[in-house]
């Protein structure tokens, strides 16, 4: 295996863990604000509580997926528990809790994009000279600047992907739980009945198909914004 893959793994994993941690911490924080303290231990930007809850999804799968694909991509997951009884009694608060995760991802993507623009403007980074990938939205010849260019590129890409994927309104994704924010009580009950009885697996399958077609134009639009005026 290319030694470069192992060299990039720590920065990829750091960006990935930061993204998952902020996503789940946002869920837990907004849930606590709404009265559900089930995930109180997850209201932290320290990745360790999130890793202890989902060690397989936060460490094992991301590292294996990265190495097996020769770098350039990483998948995994984390989770924050919640009280289903609380969610059923306060559906709008629960929907706000669900929306907090993608919102955290889009915030991180925005911050990473701003860091890339500032780095290019200051001469620390340069525009990529070859085809764009998730990890080459900015480049630098070597040293700390090269590491930061990789980190911010990955952070931007991962959070754009996580935010968009989780907004798809199908179970078990966050978008499914966000929809009730815009529905009446009668329509909300009908919405949840649509996917009752094991709809999560089917929802994930459909979401992957939709996402494969949705993401390219979204990514192109985000890149256009990232390089606007540069």
């Amino acid at each position: 295996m290319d030694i470069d893959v192992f060299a990039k793994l720590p920065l990829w994993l750091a960006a990935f863990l930061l993204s998952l941690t902020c996503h789940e911490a946002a869920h837990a924080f907004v849930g606590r604000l709404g009265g559900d303290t089930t995930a109180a231990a997850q209201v932290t930007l320290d990745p360790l509580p999130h890793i202890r809850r989902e060690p397989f999804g936060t460490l094992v799968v991301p590292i294996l997926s990265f190495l097996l694909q020769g770098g350039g991509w990483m998948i995994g997951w984390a989770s924050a528990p919640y009280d289903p009884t609380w969610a059923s009694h306060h559906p709008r608060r629960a929907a706000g809790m669900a929306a907090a995760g993608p919102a955290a991802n889009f915030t991180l993507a925005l911050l990473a994009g701003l860091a890339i623009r500032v780095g290019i403007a200051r001469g620390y980074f340069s525009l990529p000279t070859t085809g764009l990938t998730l990890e080459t939205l900015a480049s630098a010849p070597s040293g700390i600047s090269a590491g930061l260019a990789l980190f911010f590129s990955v952070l931007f890409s991962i959070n754009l992907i996580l935010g968009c994927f989780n907004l798809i309104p199908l179970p078990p994704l966050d978008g499914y739980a966000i929809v009730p924010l815009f529905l009446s009580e009668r329509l909300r009950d009908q919405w949840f009945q649509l996917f009752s009885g094991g709809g999560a697996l089917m929802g994930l399958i459909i979401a992957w198909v939709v996402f494969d077609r949705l993401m390219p134009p979204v990514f192109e639009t985000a890149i256009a914004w990232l390089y606007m005026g540069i």
Side-chain angles (χ1 to χ4, degrees), residues 197-215:
L201 179 58
M202 182 60 69
L204 274 179
I205 294 172
I206 297 173
W208 274 116
V209 174
V210 171
F211 186 71
D212 189 50
R213 303 186 180 198
L214 171 71
M215 200 59 209

Side-chain angles (χ1 to χ4, degrees), residues 22-93:
C22 288
H23 181 103
E24 300 305 334
H27 281 320
F29 178 69
V30 174
R32 188 174 70 178
L33 288 179
D36 181 13
T37 60
T38 307
Q42 312 302 118
V43 185
T44 175
L45 296 182
D46 178 359
L48 290 179
H50 302 275
I51 292 172
R52 283 194 291 266
R53 176 169 171 78
E54 290 281 1
F56 195 69
T58 56
L59 288 179
V60 178
V61 172
I63 292 173
L64 285 178
S65 64
F66 186 77
L67 295 177
L68 290 174
Q69 296 177 84
W73 182 240
M74 187 175 281
I75 59 175
W77 63 87
S79 67
Y82 72 97
D83 181 359
T85 302
W86 168 84
S88 65
H89 289 164
H90 305 284
R92 294 194 180 277
R93 296 184 195 178

